[in-house]
Amino acid sequence: MTTGSPRGDEAPAGVARAQAREAKEALGADLADEPGVCGLGLGRADDGGWVVVVNVACVEVGSRIPSRVGATPVLTRVTGTIRAAGEPGRATTCGNSDA
């Protein structure tokens, strides 16, 4: 019997990494034109499974993000406006005029 922490795609419970990736792709397609969505990624849940992480510019945008895609949980993080370094004119905002 092997013990220790999970690695790679091995999750002791919850959603497998491959399933979370599929959910991320589907959610990304749905949110592609959603103002205020700054990025998507994968993260680990408390149960060791995988979640989709959605970074948003403000709470109002976060309230429009689903809490699940199929069986995959979605975690929303308010990151604020994200700008590329050296490009002050390019920004993802929540309808304010700081861009």
Side-chain angles (χ1 to χ4, degrees), residues 48-62:
W50 291 87
V51 298
V52 176
V53 179
V54 181
N55 296 330
V56 296
C58 61
V59 174
E60 294 80 14
V61 175

Side-chain angles (χ1 to χ4, degrees), residues 3-90:
T3 59
S5 58
R7 296 182 329 225
D9 287 350
E10 302 169 38
V15 176
R17 190 176 192 181
Q19 183 177 355
R21 275 190 190 136
E22 289 177 13
K24 177 186 159 208
E25 289 177 20
L27 186 58
D30 290 346
L31 298 178
D33 296 324
E34 184 71 32
V37 173
C38 302
L40 283 93
L42 296 179
R44 285 290 193 156
D46 291 339
D47 66 3
W50 291 87
V51 298
V52 176
V53 179
V54 181
N55 296 330
V56 296
C58 61
V59 174
E60 294 80 14
V61 175
S63 68
R64 298 192 303 262
I65 307 299
S67 62
R68 294 189 158 283
V69 175
T72 305
V74 176
L75 171 68
T76 303
R77 279 194 237 165
V78 178
T79 58
T81 302
I82 296 176
R83 289 186 173 95
E87 297 184 38
R90 295 184 62 192

